[in-house]
Amino acid sequence: MSEATADMAGGQTQRNDGQKTAVIILAGLSFCHLLNDMIQSLLPAIYPLLKANYALSFTQIGLITFAFQMTASVFQPVIGYATDKKSRPYSLTVGMGFTLIGLLLLAVAHNFAVILIAAMLIGTGSSVFHPESSRIARFASGGRHGLAQSVFQVGGNTGSAIGPLLAAFIVIQRGQASIAWFALAAGLGMALLWNVGGWYKRHMAEAAKKPAIAIPHHGLSQRRVTITIAMLMALIFSKFFYQASLSSYYTFYLIDKFHVSVETSQLLLFVYLFATAAGTLIGGPIGDRIGRRYVIWGSILGVLPFTLILPHVNLFWTAVLTVPIGLIIASAFSAIIVYAQDLMPGRVGTVAGLFFGFAFGMGGIGAASLGVLADHTSISFVYNVCAFLPAIGLLALLLPNLDALNAHMAGK
């Protein structure tokens, strides 16, 4: 039996043995991802409130995002590498505990320094959550890695979309102290993740008793793998730097350029974030069918015409254009993660930690630098500059075809 056939057979056995359980686990992980990212998205959603209450500059707003994103990014590759060596299923509950503490601190924060500490705690919770949950999602996939990653990711993006709505109708209306109510969501997440961790621990023990299944290998040299990882990082840079301009400053852009209310700006942010959630769900299954390289091509490059037009249209078309932008640009991330995991087989946690961490890091650096740029120029100027970032997606044309290489190596 060839390696490819063996891998396919192993995936089929996993589906037949535990399809119902795997679906429940994927749904549970996706829902916990929703809770995790919903909580995280509250932070940028209440920036207008924090800016008004504490007379913060755009640079300080950027630094809050930087503090959150950097703690969410720096620890992730380390945690991913550690869990590749020894899985720690119950670490997911601990990560959500950090988020809960950060939430409660944010609810009572009365100065910039405490807000930064709260943001860092929420970021630390995220850094613990993503690598191990991504590994469990792949384990529960039954071989449909793209679909599993998309189901997992769509929960996070849906949570990111819901967060600003809840901020608009709860926090903006009732004040900063009402953030404490969201600790209930973190507590629910901790309980669910404890059960997910127990499922994973039991099934890992069962899997260890079965014969190992050979993993297809592409045959690329270490140098080519390193170059390809660098290209994927460049694509992540273009994607998340641009997304930072929308997630952190879109509300300010709408208020500054079109003079809408804070509530209206939050609703329009929800439209964009909901589109990113839909795009995430689409990208993984399409990648399973036609190849992840093609999804990456279409996503990073396909969004360029829309980003170039966005800074030059009225309010109606701004709202309309953010829908295809969100749909197209979000479809790449699941494909990039699974493509990188196929590129580095056996290092699922390391890859997840590296790419989630780098993505958050780029979001943080992007938010901080764009905040400085906005203070020295204008929000509109920021959007004119960022419109060209997706052009970096031309690098996607140089990515090797892993599906063809795996099939070739399996046939030898």
Side-chain angles (χ1 to χ4, degrees):
M1 182 183 290
S2 69
E3 288 183 351
T5 306
D7 184 52
M8 190 178 298
Q12 187 63 47
T13 299
Q14 185 177 351
R15 284 196 295 272
N16 290 340
D17 288 348
Q19 185 176 21
K20 183 177 179 181
T21 304
V23 169
I24 292 172
I25 294 302
L26 285 175
L29 284 171
S30 184
F31 182 69
C32 290
H33 202 182
L34 182 151
L35 296 175
N36 182 78
D37 286 22
M38 178 192 74
I39 292 167
Q40 292 175 29
S41 68
L42 287 174
L43 187 60
I46 64 169
Y47 282 168
L49 176 69
L50 296 176
K51 191 175 190 296
N53 286 353
Y54 305 106
L56 303 179
S57 68
F58 282 121
T59 299
Q60 287 175 306
I61 292 294
L63 286 173
I64 294 171
T65 303
F66 180 78
F68 160 67
Q69 299 281 33
M70 290 308 292
T71 51
S73 65
V74 170
F75 297 136
Q76 284 206 45
V78 177
I79 292 170
Y81 179 80
T83 55
D84 276 339
K85 297 293 184 182
K86 182 180 179 181
S87 180
R88 293 169 173 82
Y90 296 111
S91 64
L92 296 176
T93 304
V94 175
M96 191 65 80
F98 278 106
T99 301
L100 187 151
I101 296 169
L103 263 180
L104 294 175
L105 188 59
L106 185 61
V108 299
H110 282 65
N111 58 59
F112 179 64
V114 178
I115 292 170
L116 282 180
I117 294 171
M120 292 171 69
L121 283 168
I122 295 172
T124 301
S126 182
S127 72
V128 176
F129 175 80
H130 285 97
E132 190 71 343
S133 57
S134 183
R135 175 203 303 283
I136 297 175
R138 188 176 176 96
F139 183 81
S141 70
R144 301 170 69 183
H145 301 147
L147 174 64
Q149 193 62 225
S150 281
V151 170
F152 171 65
Q153 287 294 334
V154 77
N157 283 351
T158 303
S160 296
I162 293 172
L165 280 182
L166 296 177
F169 293 108
I170 298 177
V171 182
I172 300 298
Q173 300 294 330
R174 297 179 178 273
Q176 186 179 335
S178 63
I179 295 171
W181 286 103
F182 293 92
L184 296 173
L188 174 61
M190 291 176 70
L192 292 173
L193 289 172
W194 183 267
N195 286 305
V196 169
W199 175 90
Y200 184 49
K201 185 176 181 179
R202 291 191 301 274
H203 282 71
M204 281 293 291
E206 293 172 8
K209 300 174 184 177
K210 299 177 181 179
I213 298 170
I215 302 174
H217 197 278
H218 43 68
L220 294 174
S221 67
Q222 185 58 49
R223 180 175 179 273
R224 185 68 187 280
V225 169
T226 301
I227 291 172
T228 304
I229 289 291
M231 287 192 291
L232 292 173
M233 292 291 192
L235 298 179
I236 291 289
F237 163 80
S238 69
K239 169 181 163 58
F240 279 89
F241 225 79
Y242 181 78
Q243 287 189 301
S245 71
L246 284 172
S247 60
S248 293
Y249 299 106
Y250 186 47
T251 54
F252 296 114
Y253 174 74
L254 294 170
I255 293 168
D256 178 71
K257 185 171 182 177
F258 303 113
H259 311 294
V260 301
S261 67
V262 172
E263 288 81 5
T264 299
S265 71
Q266 297 287 13
L267 287 171
L268 293 177
L269 178 60
F270 168 76
V271 171
Y272 161 71
L273 293 174
F274 187 81
T276 64
T280 301
L281 185 60
I282 292 168
I286 293 177
D288 282 340
R289 287 183 174 274
I290 69 171
R292 280 165 269 281
R293 188 175 61 146
Y294 300 114
V295 173
I296 297 170
W297 286 2
S299 174
I300 305 295
L301 281 173
V303 77
L304 183 59
F306 301 102
T307 63
L308 291 173
I309 296 169
L310 183 68
H312 309 288
V313 296
N314 61 23
L315 177 61
F316 172 78
W317 284 108
T318 295
V320 170
L321 285 173
T322 57
V323 174
I325 287 173
L327 279 170
I328 296 170
I329 204 168
S331 64
F333 193 54
S334 295
I336 289 173
I337 291 290
V338 178
Y339 181 95
Q341 288 173 339
D342 291 342
L343 189 69
M344 301 174 65
R347 300 183 184 179
V348 175
T350 302
V351 168
L354 179 65
F355 278 86
F356 277 111
F358 188 74
F360 285 136
M362 284 301 97
I365 293 170
S369 58
L370 293 176
V372 173
L373 183 62
D375 277 337
H376 286 82
T377 57
S378 68
I379 287 290
S380 294
F381 181 78
V382 167
Y383 277 81
N384 278 284
V385 170
C386 290
F388 293 91
L389 284 172
I392 296 172
L394 288 167
L395 286 172
L397 300 174
L398 303 176
L399 295 174
N401 189 337
L402 295 184
D403 293 331
L405 289 170
N406 284 336
H408 175 72
M409 293 299 293
K412 282 189 174 181

